Amino acid sequence: MITSNIKQRIIGKGRGAIFAPSDFLDIGSRASVDQTLSRLADQGVIRRLTRGLYDYPKKSPRFGFLSPSADDIAKAVARKDGQILQPSPSMAANQLGLSTQVPSKPTYMTDGPTRTKKVGRQVIQFRNASSKTLVGAGNKTGVVFQALRYVGKDRVDSQIIDQLARALDDNDRKLLAKQSRHVPAWMHPVVQQIVAHK
């Protein structure tokens, strides 16, 4: 029963989903969940990425099973460890199209310990950060605040404001205005311009 419930949930999430045993503790005990995941990995239904992390791999007709993205892995690791996650300033700038530079090592800010995690061929860095740096974590607003940190106080121009405003919908803008109370003072006028942007 536990096996079919877990399998159903995994397949329901779709190919590319990453999960940890803790995602299934509402279905069975930790021991039975571990056992089931181990069995499903042996059967080739899911793939063990590293200790305590599995994925339901995406498949390409040409390349076989594909590696999960660093972003998906980082989110799964943070969820597993009950931590907050925010992309680093350079990653945020890249995600929002403000920088073409792709960081060689994906780096995330977190309320957990600073550490490096190797999953398959991916090396992901987690850096402990202050609560100020983690404002908006898990939302698009957090990515915007991080991108502004990357650009810096003196390099924000109308083009950047335009690009950031286009990345947000009305709800994001409301949230940005609300959360801006907790970010450095120099960002306040910038946030006002983004929110007012038409």
Side-chain angles (χ1 to χ4, degrees):
M1 194 62 200
I2 288 175
T3 304
S4 67
N5 286 349
I6 287 179
K7 197 170 171 180
Q8 232 175 345
R9 185 177 293 180
I10 289 168
I11 292 167
K13 286 205 180 298
R15 293 248 173 223
I18 300 177
F19 39 88
S22 54
D23 294 332
F24 304 101
L25 294 181
D26 59 319
I27 295 177
S29 69
R30 181 63 199 244
S32 59
V33 168
D34 281 346
Q35 215 175 358
T36 303
L37 292 176
S38 192
R39 203 174 311 126
L40 290 173
D42 291 343
Q43 291 166 6
V45 176
I46 59 175
R47 174 173 58 178
R48 183 183 282 109
L49 296 171
T50 183
R51 203 169 142 248
L53 265 195
Y54 299 83
D55 77 339
Y56 181 42
K58 278 188 179 150
K59 219 172 172 180
S60 135
R62 231 171 76 197
F63 305 110
F65 289 128
L66 303 174
S67 292
S69 74
D71 210 43
D72 288 342
I73 293 170
K75 283 177 183 155
V77 168
R79 199 174 63 242
K80 174 168 104 60
D81 298 339
Q83 289 163 359
I84 297 172
L85 194 71
Q86 181 95 291
S88 67
S90 60
M91 279 183 69
N94 180 265
Q95 283 171 16
L96 293 172
L98 298 181
S99 157
T100 51
Q101 276 182 316
V102 180
S104 58
K105 266 194 201 132
T107 303
Y108 294 85
M109 317 317 269
T110 170
D111 59 345
T114 295
R115 59 194 170 140
T116 301
K117 198 124 177 90
K118 196 171 186 302
V119 177
R121 287 196 297 261
Q122 304 257 25
V123 178
I124 302 168
Q125 289 183 328
F126 294 91
R127 285 212 190 114
N128 179 266
S130 68
S131 56
K132 260 194 169 22
T133 308
L134 296 169
V135 171
N139 293 299
K140 218 170 207 173
T141 52
V143 182
V144 168
F145 291 133
Q146 288 295 79
L148 286 174
R149 281 189 171 88
Y150 175 83
V151 173
K153 182 173 157 182
D154 304 321
R155 294 197 357 247
V156 176
D157 57 21
S158 58
Q159 205 179 344
I160 283 168
I161 284 168
D162 181 51
Q163 194 144 353
L164 292 176
R166 279 204 312 262
L168 302 172
D169 63 23
D170 289 346
N171 289 337
D172 292 329
R173 289 179 191 206
K174 280 188 195 118
L175 193 58
L176 194 75
K178 207 165 113 188
Q179 292 172 339
S180 66
R181 293 198 305 270
H182 309 289
V183 297
W186 71 264
M187 287 187 192
H188 297 177
V190 179
V191 167
Q192 281 164 359
Q193 286 176 275
I194 293 170
V195 171
H197 194 279
K198 289 283 173 274

